[in-house]
Amino acid sequence: MKHFTSVHDLDSLDEALKLAFELKKDPYKYQTLGKNKTLLLVFFNSSLRTRLSTQKAGLNLGMNVIVFDINEGGWKLETELGVIMDGDKPEHIREAVPVIGKYCDIIGVRSFAKFENREDDYQEKIIQQFIDYAGVPVVSMEAATRHPLQSFADHLTIEEFKTKERPKVVLTWAPHPRALPQAVPNSFVEWMRQTDYELVVTHPEGYELAPEFMGDLKPEYDQMKAFEGADFIYAKNWAAYNDYGKILSKDMNWTVTDRQMAVTNNAKFMHCLPVRRNMIVSDSVIDGPNSIVVPEAENRLFSAQAVLKMLLDQMK
Amino acid sequence: MKHFTSVHDLDSLDEALKLAFELKKDPYKYQTLGKNKTLLLVFFNSSLRTRLSTQKAGLNLGMNVIVFDINEGGWKLETELGVIMDGDKPEHIREAVPVIGKYCDIIGVRSFAKFENREDDYQEKIIQQFIDYAGVPVVSMEAATRHPLQSFADHLTIEEFKTKERPKVVLTWAPHPRALPQAVPNSFVEWMRQTDYELVVTHPEGYELAPEFMGDLKPEYDQMKAFEGADFIYAKNWAAYNDYGKILSKDMNWTVTDRQMAVTNNAKFMHCLPVRRNMIVSDSVIDGPNSIVVPEAENRLFSAQAVLKMLLDQMK
Amino acid sequence: MKHFTSVHDLDSLDEALKLAFELKKDPYKYQTLGKNKTLLLVFFNSSLRTRLSTQKAGLNLGMNVIVFDINEGGWKLETELGVIMDGDKPEHIREAVPVIGKYCDIIGVRSFAKFENREDDYQEKIIQQFIDYAGVPVVSMEAATRHPLQSFADHLTIEEFKTKERPKVVLTWAPHPRALPQAVPNSFVEWMRQTDYELVVTHPEGYELAPEFMGDLKPEYDQMKAFEGADFIYAKNWAAYNDYGKILSKDMNWTVTDRQMAVTNNAKFMHCLPVRRNMIVSDSVIDGPNSIVVPEAENRLFSAQAVLKMLLDQMK
């Protein structure tokens, strides 16, 4: 593994899972592995779990960790080539990235979809420039189209809570006041398709995810039907891919409540967080005994630590 | 001690003082105690001394320290239950706090009074939710009604500078352009009442502190009379408790100057900082030989380190 | 060396260079030197290279490092004496600085020229107050009139890339949309004058640097003539010193392009970064084989580490 931007970067998903569970059992097992190695986390966007869990993951491995909120303490970055830089952006990503790469051994980057232009987002222009110019391994802490550390943690969580070999996992769209990126659902679908779980994706018509992530999978437009017999409900909002970045529905019938959970196989409720209560999910479901959103968030620590461990191993 | 939010959380005030002085003599004595322990500092509000001294306190004990400015790098938190989260706050404190607790061993929290509603502030709604949901020890880095790390440092400072067994300590209100919380004076009064110092509180009428902090203590409305024979003058502004959050006076006669200091017993001048010069105190007093605001601030390091040490001891 | 604010603070420039190259070869050679020492970096202004390289420099030496964005997480500072503090600045630098000094062993400060008043800027009012009140060594991370860590790194870079004993080094003004401080050019000229390089400064009339930095050096107003036979081109914009803080020209003929580089001795192109592409320099030059802006930025790490090493040595 050179960089970590999707499940496909892993040399072996099985080994990665095994390592993450090993680290969960003993987080300080490799606490000298990262000695004299610096992890530099670059944030273009807000973060709670990613920011804290990835810092702690690096520290658990003995790394030095530097956090950089590039839009706060740094300079606004120009990302287009060939422009006359006479506006509000004093620095170009072409200089910033290789320079950052000189001050660390691994870079983590968070850069959300901008929803200005689907091609720009889906070509992953920002994180790709980090990969092209940084000179060191790059870890996605959520890029425009994927959030692989989240999906890895989701996988760990399902493994921990599943009660049958091949659980039914349902990704459901739910309403939200703002237009949100597709990174989490894309990445979740892509990752789940690497397992032998039964995967169902349900959303209102118009919310189809990009074909490159769905592959042969067909969406189920009837949410109640999708929920029948489910073992895990994974809720998330996203804006439309086809009518790019648009909010097509705020239908509160899609909010996950006891009504839908009743038809499941006593399903666990998952969400990547932050979650809008009583938009995405009712208080009763998220506060109920089947809500596993906090253990799911806790696993962010171990997915991050496993990824960093694997990258450090390759530097020896 | 499970959490630290007031002097009443200490198992023994005497032991705490002794420990703080021991740490001041040898700050690195317990430098391996915090190995593989993470201190996570959550700031809802600005901070200089608290931010820096608490970080350094954790580092001196060998802890990993993560600082989190929740309103800058994180998500705005909803703190009310039962709401439909369709506004500007994407995350609920009910998820954020237990998740943060999964990434650390001790949480420090700074969350000022909001002055929207006295009941909310005096019920300590924010820090109480941290205590209820974090799953790890919580240290107040100034909450709505108390600032115990400050009061602890104040106590250390008086112990160091007192020239008689039972000094006269005067807390005086002083004018300020903005409405400030009562956390510092509340906490100072509460803490001082655990000592055998002679304590006098002076302020204009209308500025009475909450009965739960004052107890039997009656305010002295005549500032000059209060200052007579004082050994320590502790100045601070606060907004009214009864007419909650209101500024009732900006009377510059209450500014601490050489005129009032002249009637004291060569009193030392104290303030928690930041201080508005020539509003709270004249340049001549704060720059004079009896000003001990800097040693007082220095002691913030040792009050914080003592508290963290006591919490770490209980994890062994 | 007590503080580091200019080349004149170094006990020996030769020794400093030697040390920096030694650290570049083996960055972890002195990794226990900074044990139990805290480096506290105070930023009044934005930063990328300085922020990251100085943090890493401290960590490489085993120091604890605390970063403080004083205008974000802290309180706005009053810097004038004698004022009634009833405005928007709740804290005075006279308290803030000695307090910060109590929480660390070395302070780094970044505080740009304000362009309100030339005397204030050129008296270095901010960093001078840090030196006067902090009680610990102060390192300039760019002050109003100098950026010595940058100049030190520039010197290292020229030493690495020079192909003759006494290269011709040309500092050229270039256009920019905003008024920028003179810190980088002042400091570069001051530092270069301590070497035996051939130094030429070129800029449009009106952009003369302060006499204290130029000394006997006379500017060359003809940019093409200045570039003839140059071995290093150091581009930078600055606002006028005489007509203080004014933009007198945005003449794009001064933008460094292949046209001017053609008359040099295959010169290397340098800039402190961030750089405005196609204002300061054309894409073709900065992306070309002679651009050494990234190695130059990398050397920021070793200039900072050498300075910290020298200051730590004096604490033993």
Side-chain angles (χ1 to χ4, degrees):
Chain A
M1 184 166 64
K2 278 186 169 171
H3 304 281
F4 179 69
T5 65
S6 87
V7 67
H8 301 301
D9 289 322
L10 295 174
D11 296 323
S12 156
L13 176 51
D14 274 354
E15 291 300 316
L17 275 178
K18 219 178 285 179
L19 174 60
F21 284 123
E22 180 193 25
L23 289 164
K24 187 163 185 174
K25 246 174 128 173
D26 185 359
Y28 300 104
K29 184 166 179 181
Y30 302 103
Q31 66 180 285
T32 59
L33 181 67
K35 190 173 156 66
N36 293 339
K37 298 286 183 226
T38 300
L39 173 65
L40 208 156
L41 306 180
V42 180
F43 289 94
F44 287 85
N45 305 99
S46 293
S47 174
L48 186 148
R49 280 145 290 274
T50 300
R51 171 187 291 265
L52 302 179
S53 64
T54 315
Q55 273 185 82
K56 182 145 172 51
L59 293 167
N60 283 1
L61 292 165
M63 302 184 81
N64 290 327
V65 182
I66 296 176
V67 175
F68 186 38
D69 289 297
I70 201 161
N71 293 324
E72 306 290 327
W75 310 99
K76 278 198 186 172
L77 291 193
E78 177 60 58
T79 57
E80 297 305 310
L81 290 176
V83 296
I84 297 174
M85 290 173 60
D86 57 0
D88 68 333
K89 295 174 182 165
E91 176 133 40
H92 201 287
I93 198 168
R94 283 293 302 269
E95 279 75 60
V97 170
V99 166
I100 291 171
K102 294 297 183 191
Y103 302 146
C104 64
D105 301 280
I106 299 176
I107 296 180
V109 191
R110 165 163 284 204
S111 177
F112 290 170
K114 289 180 182 161
F115 281 145
E116 288 164 6
N117 177 306
R118 192 171 83 177
E119 279 61 45
D120 282 2
D121 288 342
Y122 272 70
Q123 285 167 16
E124 290 288 6
K125 272 195 151 184
I126 303 297
I127 198 163
Q128 193 55 48
Q129 294 198 62
F130 274 81
I131 289 173
D132 290 344
Y133 306 133
V136 297
V138 172
V139 174
S140 167
M141 300 194 301
E142 186 171 342
T145 67
R146 286 179 184 92
H147 191 359
L149 289 173
Q150 178 66 50
S151 308
F152 188 178
D154 296 335
H155 190 182
L156 294 173
T157 309
I158 294 172
E159 282 297 296
E160 288 180 317
F161 284 90
K162 74 179 186 184
T163 54
K164 59 167 80 126
E165 198 52 43
R166 194 168 172 259
K168 178 177 177 183
V169 176
V170 178
L171 168 67
T172 181
W173 180 93
H176 193 280
R178 316 237 161 149
L180 296 190
Q182 293 112 22
V184 169
N186 284 344
S187 197
F188 184 75
V189 169
E190 183 177 50
W191 199 289
M192 288 297 113
R193 287 175 58 213
Q194 299 298 308
T195 71
D196 62 355
Y197 303 159
E198 182 188 350
L199 176 64
V200 176
V201 178
T202 183
H203 54 71
E205 290 194 49
Y207 278 103
E208 290 74 17
L209 293 169
E212 61 193 276
F213 293 100
M214 287 293 279
D216 294 336
L217 204 61
K218 298 287 163 233
E220 169 57 65
Y221 297 117
D222 181 339
Q223 192 190 31
M224 286 303 281
K225 203 169 152 197
F227 274 49
E228 275 171 24
D231 298 292
F232 292 90
I233 299 299
Y234 195 98
K236 183 73 186 82
N237 173 270
W238 62 90
Y241 170 77
N242 286 320
D243 199 357
Y244 194 62
K246 288 289 183 318
I247 297 179
L248 307 178
S249 166
K250 295 191 182 183
D251 183 357
M252 303 278 276
N253 283 315
W254 282 79
T255 301
V256 178
T257 67
D258 294 319
R259 174 179 61 84
Q260 296 106 314
M261 293 302 282
V263 303
T264 68
N265 179 31
N266 194 31
K268 301 297 182 191
F269 176 82
M270 300 176 72
H271 189 279
C272 60
L273 306 180
V275 67
R276 302 257 179 175
R277 283 166 169 255
N278 303 312
M279 293 287 299
I280 297 285
V281 58
S282 68
D283 284 336
S284 61
V285 170
I286 195 167
D287 290 331
N290 280 19
S291 169
I292 56 172
V293 295
V294 173
E296 180 186 0
E298 184 181 4
N299 280 332
R300 294 293 309 277
L301 176 52
F302 306 108
S303 68
Q305 201 174 334
V307 165
L308 294 173
K309 159 76 168 63
M310 290 184 282
L311 292 171
L312 286 170
D313 276 341
Q314 285 168 338
M315 291 180 197
K316 282 192 289 198
Chain B
M1 183 166 64
K2 278 186 171 170
H3 303 281
F4 180 70
T5 65
S6 87
V7 66
H8 302 301
D9 289 322
L10 295 173
D11 297 321
S12 156
L13 177 50
D14 275 354
E15 292 300 317
L17 275 179
K18 220 177 286 176
L19 174 58
F21 284 124
E22 181 194 23
L23 289 165
K24 187 162 185 175
K25 246 173 126 172
D26 185 0
Y28 300 104
K29 184 166 178 181
Y30 302 103
Q31 65 180 285
T32 60
L33 181 66
K35 189 173 156 65
N36 293 340
K37 299 286 184 226
T38 299
L39 173 64
L40 207 155
L41 306 180
V42 181
F43 290 93
F44 288 85
N45 305 99
S46 293
S47 174
L48 185 149
R49 279 145 291 275
T50 301
R51 170 187 292 267
L52 301 179
S53 64
T54 314
Q55 274 185 80
K56 181 148 172 52
L59 293 169
N60 283 1
L61 293 164
M63 302 184 81
N64 290 328
V65 182
I66 296 176
V67 175
F68 186 38
D69 288 298
I70 200 161
N71 292 324
E72 308 290 327
W75 308 100
K76 279 199 183 170
L77 290 192
E78 177 60 61
T79 57
E80 298 304 310
L81 289 176
V83 296
I84 297 174
M85 289 173 61
D86 56 1
D88 67 332
K89 296 173 181 163
E91 176 132 41
H92 202 286
I93 197 167
R94 283 294 301 272
E95 278 75 59
V97 170
V99 167
I100 291 172
K102 294 297 183 191
Y103 302 144
C104 64
D105 301 280
I106 299 176
I107 297 181
V109 191
R110 163 161 286 202
S111 176
F112 291 170
K114 289 182 184 162
F115 281 146
E116 287 164 8
N117 177 305
R118 191 171 84 178
E119 280 60 46
D120 282 1
D121 288 342
Y122 271 70
Q123 286 166 16
E124 289 287 8
K125 273 194 150 183
I126 303 297
I127 198 163
Q128 193 55 49
Q129 294 197 64
F130 274 82
I131 288 172
D132 290 346
Y133 306 131
V136 297
V138 173
V139 173
S140 166
M141 301 195 300
E142 186 171 343
T145 68
R146 287 180 184 90
H147 191 358
L149 288 174
Q150 178 66 50
S151 308
F152 188 179
D154 296 335
H155 191 182
L156 294 173
T157 310
I158 293 172
E159 282 297 296
E160 288 180 315
F161 283 91
K162 76 181 184 184
T163 55
K164 58 168 79 126
E165 199 50 46
R166 195 169 172 260
K168 179 177 176 182
V169 176
V170 178
L171 169 66
T172 182
W173 179 94
H176 193 281
R178 316 238 161 148
L180 297 190
Q182 293 112 20
V184 169
N186 284 344
S187 197
F188 184 75
V189 168
E190 184 177 49
W191 198 289
M192 288 296 113
R193 287 176 60 214
Q194 299 298 309
T195 70
D196 62 356
Y197 303 158
E198 182 188 348
L199 176 63
V200 177
V201 178
T202 183
H203 54 70
E205 289 195 49
Y207 277 103
E208 290 75 17
L209 294 169
E212 63 193 275
F213 294 100
M214 287 293 279
D216 294 337
L217 202 63
K218 297 287 164 235
E220 168 58 65
Y221 297 117
D222 181 339
Q223 191 191 30
M224 286 303 281
K225 205 169 149 194
F227 273 49
E228 276 171 23
D231 297 293
F232 292 90
I233 298 300
Y234 194 99
K236 184 74 185 83
N237 174 270
W238 62 90
Y241 170 77
N242 287 320
D243 199 357
Y244 192 62
K246 289 287 182 321
I247 296 178
L248 307 177
S249 165
K250 295 191 182 182
D251 183 357
M252 302 277 277
N253 283 313
W254 282 79
T255 302
V256 178
T257 66
D258 294 319
R259 174 178 63 84
Q260 297 107 316
M261 294 302 282
V263 304
T264 67
N265 179 31
N266 194 31
K268 300 296 182 192
F269 176 81
M270 299 177 72
H271 189 281
C272 60
L273 306 180
V275 65
R276 300 257 181 176
R277 285 167 168 253
N278 303 310
M279 292 288 298
I280 299 284
V281 58
S282 68
D283 283 338
S284 60
V285 170
I286 196 167
D287 289 332
N290 280 20
S291 169
I292 56 171
V293 296
V294 174
E296 181 186 359
E298 184 180 4
N299 280 331
R300 294 291 309 277
L301 176 52
F302 306 107
S303 68
Q305 203 175 334
V307 166
L308 295 174
K309 160 76 167 65
M310 292 183 281
L311 292 171
L312 286 170
D313 277 341
Q314 286 168 338
M315 291 179 196
K316 282 191 292 198
Chain C
M1 183 167 64
K2 279 186 168 169
H3 304 281
F4 180 70
T5 65
S6 87
V7 67
H8 301 302
D9 289 324
L10 295 174
D11 296 323
S12 156
L13 177 51
D14 274 355
E15 292 300 317
L17 276 179
K18 220 178 286 180
L19 174 59
F21 284 122
E22 180 193 23
L23 290 163
K24 187 162 184 174
K25 247 172 125 175
D26 185 0
Y28 300 104
K29 183 166 180 181
Y30 302 103
Q31 66 180 284
T32 61
L33 181 68
K35 189 173 156 67
N36 293 340
K37 299 285 184 226
T38 301
L39 173 64
L40 207 155
L41 306 181
V42 181
F43 289 93
F44 289 84
N45 305 98
S46 292
S47 175
L48 184 150
R49 279 145 290 274
T50 301
R51 169 186 292 265
L52 302 179
S53 64
T54 315
Q55 275 185 80
K56 181 146 173 52
L59 293 168
N60 282 1
L61 292 163
M63 302 185 80
N64 290 326
V65 182
I66 298 176
V67 175
F68 186 38
D69 288 298
I70 200 161
N71 291 325
E72 307 292 326
W75 309 98
K76 278 198 184 173
L77 291 192
E78 176 60 61
T79 57
E80 297 303 311
L81 289 175
V83 297
I84 298 173
M85 289 171 60
D86 56 0
D88 68 332
K89 295 174 183 165
E91 175 132 42
H92 201 287
I93 197 168
R94 283 294 300 270
E95 279 74 60
V97 170
V99 167
I100 291 172
K102 294 297 183 193
Y103 302 145
C104 65
D105 301 280
I106 299 176
I107 297 181
V109 192
R110 163 162 286 203
S111 176
F112 291 170
K114 289 180 184 163
F115 282 145
E116 288 164 6
N117 176 307
R118 191 170 84 177
E119 279 61 46
D120 283 3
D121 287 342
Y122 271 71
Q123 285 166 18
E124 290 287 6
K125 273 194 150 181
I126 303 298
I127 199 163
Q128 192 55 49
Q129 293 197 65
F130 274 81
I131 288 173
D132 291 346
Y133 307 132
V136 297
V138 172
V139 174
S140 166
M141 300 194 301
E142 184 169 344
T145 67
R146 286 180 185 90
H147 192 357
L149 289 173
Q150 178 66 49
S151 308
F152 188 177
D154 296 335
H155 191 182
L156 294 173
T157 310
I158 294 172
E159 282 297 296
E160 288 181 316
F161 283 89
K162 75 181 185 183
T163 54
K164 58 167 80 129
E165 198 51 46
R166 193 168 172 259
K168 178 177 177 183
V169 176
V170 178
L171 169 66
T172 182
W173 179 94
H176 192 281
R178 316 238 162 148
L180 295 190
Q182 293 111 23
V184 169
N186 284 343
S187 197
F188 184 76
V189 168
E190 184 177 50
W191 199 289
M192 287 298 113
R193 286 177 60 215
Q194 299 298 309
T195 70
D196 62 356
Y197 302 158
E198 182 188 349
L199 177 63
V200 176
V201 178
T202 183
H203 54 71
E205 289 195 49
Y207 276 104
E208 290 74 18
L209 294 169
E212 63 194 277
F213 293 100
M214 288 292 279
D216 294 335
L217 203 62
K218 298 287 165 236
E220 168 58 65
Y221 297 118
D222 181 339
Q223 192 191 31
M224 286 302 281
K225 203 168 150 196
F227 274 48
E228 276 172 23
D231 298 292
F232 292 90
I233 298 299
Y234 194 98
K236 182 75 185 83
N237 174 269
W238 61 90
Y241 170 77
N242 287 320
D243 200 357
Y244 193 62
K246 290 288 184 316
I247 296 178
L248 307 178
S249 165
K250 296 191 181 180
D251 183 356
M252 302 277 276
N253 282 313
W254 282 78
T255 303
V256 178
T257 66
D258 295 320
R259 174 178 61 85
Q260 296 107 315
M261 294 302 282
V263 304
T264 68
N265 179 32
N266 194 29
K268 301 296 182 190
F269 177 81
M270 300 178 72
H271 189 281
C272 60
L273 306 182
V275 66
R276 301 257 179 175
R277 283 167 170 252
N278 304 311
M279 291 289 298
I280 298 285
V281 57
S282 67
D283 284 338
S284 60
V285 170
I286 197 168
D287 289 332
N290 279 20
S291 170
I292 56 172
V293 295
V294 173
E296 180 186 0
E298 183 180 5
N299 280 331
R300 293 291 310 277
L301 176 52
F302 306 107
S303 67
Q305 202 174 335
V307 165
L308 295 173
K309 160 75 167 64
M310 290 184 281
L311 292 171
L312 287 170
D313 276 340
Q314 285 168 340
M315 291 179 195
K316 283 192 289 198

